[in-house]
Amino acid sequence: MKVCRRETFNAAHRLFRPDWSDEKNKEVFGKCNNPNYHGHNYVLETWVEGDVDSETGFLIDLKVLKQLVKTEITQRFDHFNLNLDCKEFANLNPTSENISIVIWNILREKLDPKYKLTIKLWETENNICEYSGE
Amino acid sequence: MKVCRRETFNAAHRLFRPDWSDEKNKEVFGKCNNPNYHGHNYVLETWVEGDVDSETGFLIDLKVLKQLVKTEITQRFDHFNLNLDCKEFANLNPTSENISIVIWNILREKLDPKYKLTIKLWETENNICEYSGE
Amino acid sequence: MKVCRRETFNAAHRLFRPDWSDEKNKEVFGKCNNPNYHGHNYVLETWVEGDVDSETGFLIDLKVLKQLVKTEITQRFDHFNLNLDCKEFANLNPTSENISIVIWNILREKLDPKYKLTIKLWETENNICEYSGE
Amino acid sequence: MKVCRRETFNAAHRLFRPDWSDEKNKEVFGKCNNPNYHGHNYVLETWVEGDVDSETGFLIDLKVLKQLVKTEITQRFDHFNLNLDCKEFANLNPTSENISIVIWNILREKLDPKYKLTIKLWETENNICEYSGE
Amino acid sequence: MKVCRRETFNAAHRLFRPDWSDEKNKEVFGKCNNPNYHGHNYVLETWVEGDVDSETGFLIDLKVLKQLVKTEITQRFDHFNLNLDCKEFANLNPTSENISIVIWNILREKLDPKYKLTIKLWETENNICEYSGE
Amino acid sequence: MKVCRRETFNAAHRLFRPDWSDEKNKEVFGKCNNPNYHGHNYVLETWVEGDVDSETGFLIDLKVLKQLVKTEITQRFDHFNLNLDCKEFANLNPTSENISIVIWNILREKLDPKYKLTIKLWETENNICEYSGE
């Protein structure tokens, strides 16, 4: 059994490695490398897998999960520049894959270890990423 | 290989355990415990996993699956009050998790055992549940 | 120029006139008349028409409009039974049309008269209602 | 009769007036004023109103309208920073309202005057703007 | 006040004028002219404008509107080839504009003249057409 | 870790086996057997599973995956008749299941063997198919 809470946040980013030349950055990351940043409406699905509590009928209280995602993820990233404002990406290229890993690591630490956790992240309606910690 | 039929139904419910005090019900279930019920447009995805029939090119005829879901699930729950009208929830708290288990059990019994069955249920566009019988 | 804020709320209702016989209620309103109520995830678009403020570049601050809709509409109707919990429908059949009129009247009174107001309400993904006060 | 082509683009922006103090900018524009920019997946609907050509059955060839929107709007704004990279917003606060006016003006000039033009712009799935040149 | 019923149907078509040469057809209609047909999941919104009946709280009974659209439109066009199977397009190029006019004319004749009627037709998620009889 | 690129294409088809009688074809495939074809807006999600490259932060460059899907799938099937124009279905009934297998086989051959590949195909918003090569 799995349950999911969906939340959204907006952020600016650019794909960029400071240790690469501008030419190499541009060649590898194309228009996603624009030095002045571009941005996205990210959609985040947080999936939690586990057993249903026979008393409440909940796997996890979705009010609790919603609050956790808002406190730990939305407030951290919403209306910010991932490269400049968020220490998590100070030395990490904010690709969808890396953003998913960062989000997963943050939530994994806060979530009861009895649950399995999966993150699904839409960068656009056409670009999606899924991460389960492996 | 998996195929899916998506159907929708509307229903009222409240989260509530008759063996708990009103205080405890309110504390645990919050505004979902409103005694006069509230409701949802449920979206149900029914996923069937198996082998493709080499004659027809179908895993299962989706017209058949659609009819099964309509007869067994939509007609049973659509435009009803899950707590009051549906015997399945007379003694079962209608959380998304429990609704998914009930739906899965109903369809599992009607579906050829050669198929694996998974249910995905949207209570709102932000709250989702998935159940595969485990 | 028009701008819109989209919000959602969940509610139970039944279509019903207390001054009609049960037979007539059932004949006219069909399964929407189920005495135990059924429910919906309502989606509400609030459209405001007017001129753009040349200083801010806003027609209306959407943070303000969002807060207005949350305070006046979402908190009033979310997770309630429209027929039983909401005085607006004590003597008014909660069809989509009447819900739209009620919402429009509430917001109209709170909104600066310089703005034109239009409400768009989804009862389901297939049933929609739009009201501009005429 | 109206027809519409829907296109999307990603961009970074901040709400900001250089002639205001940082305090006033922050007070009026809130978290949308973050100096390091944030971003959106903009969805743009371009509606053209006119008569159907009795020969082709087209009001306007949507291949032509699609190409016009891609050349004039998507290529101009996609993966850019509206404030820094786009001369249209060098002295104009990139609110949804102002972006809609800018897009409308660009397309209006390129579109045959026999057509009426309306722009619908989604900043997020919940914030929408519509502009018809008035 | 306006209400809407949304329905869908699937159909094949090609853009083609029998009185034009193959070259001219190909030049004007591009890949939409493919002689072996291609197809779409059409989404149809039927908007009806009028006054709310103070007895029922309905502008029009959406069960009735749904049935009308199913009988007159869905059954006529769903799973057919518009060019070959549907007499309406025997001598009419099935562009979105012409399909909208055909649908509007069919429904207009069946609908009480006291209502204003508008049709909104999605050929794809990106190509939309709207027609109000003018 | 998995990433996904979503693309769409339009195509006509009919469900049909040339080695069956017309009666049997009609009995098994119903209105999907209409001899003049009908069509769909197919939505295709291409999911690639593997490890993230620590240099780029990409599992696979989505620009590359997008180009691969466009070149190999969209250009091959978009605006065509699957039964008549596409050699892949000359002797294969174009059910969603078989289309998914064909797409998977084409992409599998072009994709680095280090990646696991899954295809998700929407024939309509209600009929979905998923294939991972087993």
mmCIF file of all heavy atoms in Angstrom, chain B residues 11-14 35-39 79-86, chain C residues 12-16 31-39 81 83-84:
data_model
loop_
_atom_site.group_PDB
_atom_site.id
_atom_site.type_symbol
_atom_site.label_atom_id
_atom_site.label_comp_id
_atom_site.label_asym_id
_atom_site.label_seq_id
_atom_site.Cartn_x
_atom_site.Cartn_y
_atom_site.Cartn_z
ATOM 1 N N ALA B 11 -18.837 10.705 -4.156
ATOM 2 C CA ALA B 11 -19.420 10.124 -2.951
ATOM 3 C C ALA B 11 -19.194 11.055 -1.772
ATOM 4 O O ALA B 11 -18.281 11.882 -1.778
ATOM 5 C CB ALA B 11 -18.803 8.757 -2.655
ATOM 6 N N ALA B 12 -20.064 10.914 -0.768
ATOM 7 C CA ALA B 12 -19.866 11.614 0.500
ATOM 8 C C ALA B 12 -19.247 10.642 1.492
ATOM 9 O O ALA B 12 -19.420 9.428 1.386
ATOM 10 C CB ALA B 12 -21.200 12.121 1.038
ATOM 11 N N HIS B 13 -18.525 11.167 2.470
ATOM 12 C CA HIS B 13 -18.030 10.321 3.559
ATOM 13 C C HIS B 13 -17.666 11.201 4.746
ATOM 14 O O HIS B 13 -17.694 12.424 4.690
ATOM 15 C CB HIS B 13 -16.838 9.457 3.114
ATOM 16 C CG HIS B 13 -15.512 10.158 3.079
ATOM 17 N ND1 HIS B 13 -14.325 9.500 3.270
ATOM 18 C CD2 HIS B 13 -15.187 11.446 2.847
ATOM 19 C CE1 HIS B 13 -13.324 10.350 3.170
ATOM 20 N NE2 HIS B 13 -13.815 11.528 2.917
ATOM 21 N N ARG B 14 -17.374 10.582 5.856
ATOM 22 C CA ARG B 14 -16.701 11.223 6.974
ATOM 23 C C ARG B 14 -15.748 10.198 7.560
ATOM 24 O O ARG B 14 -16.002 8.992 7.516
ATOM 25 C CB ARG B 14 -17.685 11.713 8.046
ATOM 26 C CG ARG B 14 -18.355 10.576 8.806
ATOM 27 C CD ARG B 14 -19.339 11.035 9.863
ATOM 28 N NE ARG B 14 -18.701 11.722 10.962
ATOM 29 C CZ ARG B 14 -19.170 11.724 12.215
ATOM 30 N NH1 ARG B 14 -20.288 11.042 12.501
ATOM 31 N NH2 ARG B 14 -18.553 12.367 13.169
ATOM 32 N N PRO B 35 -19.474 15.764 11.171
ATOM 33 C CA PRO B 35 -20.570 14.789 11.322
ATOM 34 C C PRO B 35 -21.592 14.812 10.191
ATOM 35 O O PRO B 35 -22.306 13.824 9.992
ATOM 36 C CB PRO B 35 -21.232 15.187 12.645
ATOM 37 C CG PRO B 35 -20.533 16.382 13.157
ATOM 38 C CD PRO B 35 -19.367 16.692 12.300
ATOM 39 N N ASN B 36 -21.663 15.912 9.457
ATOM 40 C CA ASN B 36 -22.634 15.998 8.365
ATOM 41 C C ASN B 36 -22.061 15.565 7.017
ATOM 42 O O ASN B 36 -22.691 15.748 5.997
ATOM 43 C CB ASN B 36 -23.175 17.422 8.266
ATOM 44 C CG ASN B 36 -24.152 17.725 9.397
ATOM 45 O OD1 ASN B 36 -24.819 16.836 9.888
ATOM 46 N ND2 ASN B 36 -24.200 18.978 9.813
ATOM 47 N N TYR B 37 -20.847 15.012 7.048
ATOM 48 C CA TYR B 37 -20.237 14.475 5.835
ATOM 49 C C TYR B 37 -19.743 15.579 4.893
ATOM 50 O O TYR B 37 -20.232 16.687 4.889
ATOM 51 C CB TYR B 37 -21.212 13.547 5.080
ATOM 52 C CG TYR B 37 -21.800 12.509 5.995
ATOM 53 C CD1 TYR B 37 -23.053 12.693 6.574
ATOM 54 C CD2 TYR B 37 -21.061 11.387 6.335
ATOM 55 C CE1 TYR B 37 -23.571 11.763 7.460
ATOM 56 C CE2 TYR B 37 -21.574 10.452 7.220
ATOM 57 C CZ TYR B 37 -22.830 10.657 7.789
ATOM 58 O OH TYR B 37 -23.321 9.746 8.673
ATOM 59 N N HIS B 38 -18.714 15.233 4.137
ATOM 60 C CA HIS B 38 -18.254 16.061 3.026
ATOM 61 C C HIS B 38 -18.009 15.092 1.875
ATOM 62 O O HIS B 38 -18.258 13.898 2.030
ATOM 63 C CB HIS B 38 -16.984 16.844 3.402
ATOM 64 C CG HIS B 38 -15.819 15.960 3.682
ATOM 65 N ND1 HIS B 38 -15.654 15.306 4.879
ATOM 66 C CD2 HIS B 38 -14.770 15.578 2.915
ATOM 67 C CE1 HIS B 38 -14.546 14.598 4.854
ATOM 68 N NE2 HIS B 38 -13.996 14.727 3.672
ATOM 69 N N GLY B 39 -17.532 15.547 0.738
ATOM 70 C CA GLY B 39 -17.483 14.596 -0.368
ATOM 71 C C GLY B 39 -16.369 14.834 -1.351
ATOM 72 O O GLY B 39 -15.634 15.820 -1.265
ATOM 73 N N HIS B 79 -22.580 8.673 -6.285
ATOM 74 C CA HIS B 79 -23.696 9.465 -5.750
ATOM 75 C C HIS B 79 -24.284 8.852 -4.481
ATOM 76 O O HIS B 79 -25.464 9.025 -4.190
ATOM 77 C CB HIS B 79 -24.791 9.678 -6.810
ATOM 78 C CG HIS B 79 -24.461 10.789 -7.768
ATOM 79 N ND1 HIS B 79 -23.556 10.640 -8.783
ATOM 80 C CD2 HIS B 79 -24.898 12.079 -7.852
ATOM 81 C CE1 HIS B 79 -23.460 11.774 -9.453
ATOM 82 N NE2 HIS B 79 -24.261 12.661 -8.910
ATOM 83 N N PHE B 80 -23.450 8.141 -3.713
ATOM 84 C CA PHE B 80 -23.895 7.608 -2.423
ATOM 85 C C PHE B 80 -23.049 8.178 -1.285
ATOM 86 O O PHE B 80 -22.031 8.833 -1.511
ATOM 87 C CB PHE B 80 -23.804 6.076 -2.404
ATOM 88 C CG PHE B 80 -24.898 5.433 -3.215
ATOM 89 C CD1 PHE B 80 -24.592 4.647 -4.325
ATOM 90 C CD2 PHE B 80 -26.234 5.607 -2.878
ATOM 91 C CE1 PHE B 80 -25.594 4.064 -5.079
ATOM 92 C CE2 PHE B 80 -27.250 5.015 -3.626
ATOM 93 C CZ PHE B 80 -26.925 4.246 -4.740
ATOM 94 N N ASN B 81 -23.524 7.901 -0.072
ATOM 95 C CA ASN B 81 -22.787 8.230 1.147
ATOM 96 C C ASN B 81 -22.105 6.946 1.604
ATOM 97 O O ASN B 81 -22.783 5.977 1.971
ATOM 98 C CB ASN B 81 -23.776 8.736 2.203
ATOM 99 C CG ASN B 81 -23.096 9.129 3.494
ATOM 100 O OD1 ASN B 81 -22.304 8.361 4.039
ATOM 101 N ND2 ASN B 81 -23.403 10.322 3.997
ATOM 102 N N LEU B 82 -20.776 6.934 1.561
ATOM 103 C CA LEU B 82 -20.056 5.686 1.840
ATOM 104 C C LEU B 82 -20.390 5.149 3.234
ATOM 105 O O LEU B 82 -20.623 3.950 3.407
ATOM 106 C CB LEU B 82 -18.544 5.902 1.700
ATOM 107 C CG LEU B 82 -18.070 6.318 0.300
ATOM 108 C CD1 LEU B 82 -16.555 6.503 0.297
ATOM 109 C CD2 LEU B 82 -18.464 5.300 -0.760
ATOM 110 N N ASN B 83 -20.461 6.045 4.229
ATOM 111 C CA ASN B 83 -20.733 5.593 5.613
ATOM 112 C C ASN B 83 -22.139 5.042 5.780
ATOM 113 O O ASN B 83 -22.342 4.038 6.475
ATOM 114 C CB ASN B 83 -20.577 6.760 6.605
ATOM 115 C CG ASN B 83 -19.218 7.417 6.549
ATOM 116 O OD1 ASN B 83 -18.911 8.109 5.582
ATOM 117 N ND2 ASN B 83 -18.384 7.210 7.573
ATOM 118 N N LEU B 84 -23.123 5.694 5.150
ATOM 119 C CA LEU B 84 -24.527 5.351 5.418
ATOM 120 C C LEU B 84 -25.133 4.407 4.399
ATOM 121 O O LEU B 84 -25.983 3.579 4.739
ATOM 122 C CB LEU B 84 -25.378 6.628 5.456
ATOM 123 C CG LEU B 84 -25.033 7.649 6.525
ATOM 124 C CD1 LEU B 84 -25.975 8.838 6.423
ATOM 125 C CD2 LEU B 84 -25.127 7.026 7.918
ATOM 126 N N ASP B 85 -24.734 4.538 3.145
ATOM 127 C CA ASP B 85 -25.408 3.781 2.086
ATOM 128 C C ASP B 85 -24.690 2.502 1.711
ATOM 129 O O ASP B 85 -25.271 1.648 1.038
ATOM 130 C CB ASP B 85 -25.511 4.634 0.809
ATOM 131 C CG ASP B 85 -26.388 5.864 0.980
ATOM 132 O OD1 ASP B 85 -27.400 5.749 1.676
ATOM 133 O OD2 ASP B 85 -26.066 6.925 0.406
ATOM 134 N N CYS B 86 -23.433 2.361 2.082
ATOM 135 C CA CYS B 86 -22.617 1.284 1.525
ATOM 136 C C CYS B 86 -22.231 0.328 2.652
ATOM 137 O O CYS B 86 -21.446 0.699 3.539
ATOM 138 C CB CYS B 86 -21.373 1.865 0.859
ATOM 139 S SG CYS B 86 -21.787 3.045 -0.462
ATOM 140 N N ALA C 12 -20.068 17.841 0.718
ATOM 141 C CA ALA C 12 -21.177 16.927 0.435
ATOM 142 C C ALA C 12 -22.414 17.756 0.120
ATOM 143 O O ALA C 12 -22.546 18.892 0.567
ATOM 144 C CB ALA C 12 -21.450 16.041 1.650
ATOM 145 N N HIS C 13 -23.309 17.185 -0.661
ATOM 146 C CA HIS C 13 -24.601 17.840 -0.890
ATOM 147 C C HIS C 13 -25.607 16.801 -1.389
ATOM 148 O O HIS C 13 -25.286 15.659 -1.640
ATOM 149 C CB HIS C 13 -24.467 19.014 -1.875
ATOM 150 C CG HIS C 13 -24.425 18.639 -3.329
ATOM 151 N ND1 HIS C 13 -24.856 19.473 -4.332
ATOM 152 C CD2 HIS C 13 -23.990 17.512 -3.950
ATOM 153 C CE1 HIS C 13 -24.696 18.893 -5.493
ATOM 154 N NE2 HIS C 13 -24.185 17.708 -5.305
ATOM 155 N N ARG C 14 -26.837 17.206 -1.471
ATOM 156 C CA ARG C 14 -27.860 16.484 -2.223
ATOM 157 C C ARG C 14 -28.745 17.525 -2.880
ATOM 158 O O ARG C 14 -28.941 18.619 -2.346
ATOM 159 C CB ARG C 14 -28.695 15.551 -1.321
ATOM 160 C CG ARG C 14 -29.617 16.306 -0.381
ATOM 161 C CD ARG C 14 -30.458 15.414 0.511
ATOM 162 N NE ARG C 14 -31.450 14.670 -0.210
ATOM 163 C CZ ARG C 14 -32.614 14.275 0.319
ATOM 164 N NH1 ARG C 14 -32.921 14.574 1.590
ATOM 165 N NH2 ARG C 14 -33.461 13.588 -0.370
ATOM 166 N N LEU C 15 -29.270 17.182 -4.048
ATOM 167 C CA LEU C 15 -30.243 18.068 -4.675
ATOM 168 C C LEU C 15 -31.606 17.703 -4.104
ATOM 169 O O LEU C 15 -32.007 16.530 -4.107
ATOM 170 C CB LEU C 15 -30.201 17.929 -6.198
ATOM 171 C CG LEU C 15 -28.844 18.309 -6.824
ATOM 172 C CD1 LEU C 15 -28.960 18.341 -8.332
ATOM 173 C CD2 LEU C 15 -28.313 19.620 -6.290
ATOM 174 N N PHE C 16 -32.329 18.703 -3.590
ATOM 175 C CA PHE C 16 -33.497 18.408 -2.766
ATOM 176 C C PHE C 16 -34.277 19.688 -2.499
ATOM 177 O O PHE C 16 -33.703 20.720 -2.199
ATOM 178 C CB PHE C 16 -33.004 17.804 -1.431
ATOM 179 C CG PHE C 16 -34.035 17.647 -0.369
ATOM 180 C CD1 PHE C 16 -35.053 16.695 -0.504
ATOM 181 C CD2 PHE C 16 -34.004 18.421 0.781
ATOM 182 C CE1 PHE C 16 -36.012 16.531 0.502
ATOM 183 C CE2 PHE C 16 -34.950 18.258 1.787
ATOM 184 C CZ PHE C 16 -35.955 17.317 1.644
ATOM 185 N N LYS C 31 -30.279 10.458 -9.146
ATOM 186 C CA LYS C 31 -29.389 9.957 -8.100
ATOM 187 C C LYS C 31 -28.720 11.084 -7.316
ATOM 188 O O LYS C 31 -28.182 10.853 -6.230
ATOM 189 C CB LYS C 31 -28.359 8.974 -8.663
ATOM 190 C CG LYS C 31 -27.424 9.540 -9.681
ATOM 191 C CD LYS C 31 -26.493 8.434 -10.239
ATOM 192 C CE LYS C 31 -25.586 9.046 -11.296
ATOM 193 N NZ LYS C 31 -24.606 8.096 -11.833
ATOM 194 N N CYS C 32 -28.780 12.307 -7.835
ATOM 195 C CA CYS C 32 -28.249 13.463 -7.087
ATOM 196 C C CYS C 32 -29.121 13.768 -5.867
ATOM 197 O O CYS C 32 -28.768 14.592 -5.033
ATOM 198 C CB CYS C 32 -28.195 14.704 -7.968
ATOM 199 S SG CYS C 32 -27.155 14.495 -9.408
ATOM 200 N N ASN C 33 -30.276 13.109 -5.782
ATOM 201 C CA ASN C 33 -31.202 13.328 -4.666
ATOM 202 C C ASN C 33 -30.965 12.358 -3.508
ATOM 203 O O ASN C 33 -31.608 12.459 -2.460
ATOM 204 C CB ASN C 33 -32.646 13.186 -5.189
ATOM 205 C CG ASN C 33 -33.691 13.324 -4.110
ATOM 206 O OD1 ASN C 33 -34.428 12.377 -3.815
ATOM 207 N ND2 ASN C 33 -33.737 14.478 -3.469
ATOM 208 N N ASN C 34 -30.022 11.419 -3.653
ATOM 209 C CA ASN C 34 -29.760 10.434 -2.588
ATOM 210 C C ASN C 34 -29.834 11.064 -1.195
ATOM 211 O O ASN C 34 -29.055 11.962 -0.880
ATOM 212 C CB ASN C 34 -28.387 9.797 -2.823
ATOM 213 C CG ASN C 34 -27.931 8.971 -1.636
ATOM 214 O OD1 ASN C 34 -28.758 8.398 -0.918
ATOM 215 N ND2 ASN C 34 -26.617 8.922 -1.424
ATOM 216 N N PRO C 35 -30.752 10.596 -0.330
ATOM 217 C CA PRO C 35 -31.003 11.259 0.961
ATOM 218 C C PRO C 35 -29.785 11.275 1.897
ATOM 219 O O PRO C 35 -29.732 12.092 2.808
ATOM 220 C CB PRO C 35 -32.138 10.440 1.594
ATOM 221 C CG PRO C 35 -32.442 9.326 0.676
ATOM 222 C CD PRO C 35 -31.686 9.483 -0.578
ATOM 223 N N ASN C 36 -28.828 10.383 1.665
ATOM 224 C CA ASN C 36 -27.652 10.352 2.528
ATOM 225 C C ASN C 36 -26.494 11.202 2.021
ATOM 226 O O ASN C 36 -25.385 11.102 2.534
ATOM 227 C CB ASN C 36 -27.201 8.905 2.732
ATOM 228 C CG ASN C 36 -28.143 8.151 3.656
ATOM 229 O OD1 ASN C 36 -28.763 8.737 4.541
ATOM 230 N ND2 ASN C 36 -28.282 6.859 3.434
ATOM 231 N N TYR C 37 -26.749 11.952 0.978
ATOM 232 C CA TYR C 37 -25.741 12.880 0.440
ATOM 233 C C TYR C 37 -24.641 12.154 -0.345
ATOM 234 O O TYR C 37 -24.374 10.992 -0.134
ATOM 235 C CB TYR C 37 -25.100 13.734 1.560
ATOM 236 C CG TYR C 37 -26.155 14.392 2.408
ATOM 237 C CD1 TYR C 37 -26.564 13.814 3.621
ATOM 238 C CD2 TYR C 37 -26.779 15.550 1.976
ATOM 239 C CE1 TYR C 37 -27.567 14.387 4.375
ATOM 240 C CE2 TYR C 37 -27.795 16.126 2.735
ATOM 241 C CZ TYR C 37 -28.179 15.540 3.938
ATOM 242 O OH TYR C 37 -29.180 16.097 4.676
ATOM 243 N N HIS C 38 -24.094 12.860 -1.313
ATOM 244 C CA HIS C 38 -22.875 12.435 -2.001
ATOM 245 C C HIS C 38 -22.006 13.690 -2.081
ATOM 246 O O HIS C 38 -22.390 14.732 -1.560
ATOM 247 C CB HIS C 38 -23.203 11.877 -3.392
ATOM 248 C CG HIS C 38 -23.784 12.887 -4.316
ATOM 249 N ND1 HIS C 38 -25.111 13.265 -4.265
ATOM 250 C CD2 HIS C 38 -23.221 13.647 -5.291
ATOM 251 C CE1 HIS C 38 -25.345 14.189 -5.178
ATOM 252 N NE2 HIS C 38 -24.222 14.451 -5.801
ATOM 253 N N GLY C 39 -20.839 13.622 -2.706
ATOM 254 C CA GLY C 39 -19.975 14.796 -2.600
ATOM 255 C C GLY C 39 -19.079 15.025 -3.791
ATOM 256 O O GLY C 39 -19.028 14.227 -4.721
ATOM 257 N N ASN C 81 -21.052 19.834 4.813
ATOM 258 C CA ASN C 81 -22.236 19.400 4.078
ATOM 259 C C ASN C 81 -23.019 20.660 3.728
ATOM 260 O O ASN C 81 -23.513 21.355 4.628
ATOM 261 C CB ASN C 81 -23.067 18.460 4.979
ATOM 262 C CG ASN C 81 -24.299 17.945 4.294
ATOM 263 O OD1 ASN C 81 -25.062 18.720 3.721
ATOM 264 N ND2 ASN C 81 -24.501 16.627 4.362
ATOM 265 N N ASN C 83 -25.922 21.254 2.475
ATOM 266 C CA ASN C 83 -27.325 21.309 2.908
ATOM 267 C C ASN C 83 -27.468 21.507 4.415
ATOM 268 O O ASN C 83 -28.334 22.251 4.869
ATOM 269 C CB ASN C 83 -28.076 20.020 2.542
ATOM 270 C CG ASN C 83 -28.008 19.679 1.061
ATOM 271 O OD1 ASN C 83 -26.951 19.303 0.569
ATOM 272 N ND2 ASN C 83 -29.124 19.823 0.357
ATOM 273 N N LEU C 84 -26.639 20.818 5.188
ATOM 274 C CA LEU C 84 -26.826 20.788 6.637
ATOM 275 C C LEU C 84 -25.975 21.802 7.391
ATOM 276 O O LEU C 84 -26.391 22.329 8.416
ATOM 277 C CB LEU C 84 -26.504 19.393 7.189
ATOM 278 C CG LEU C 84 -27.356 18.240 6.667
ATOM 279 C CD1 LEU C 84 -26.913 16.948 7.312
ATOM 280 C CD2 LEU C 84 -28.833 18.500 6.945
#
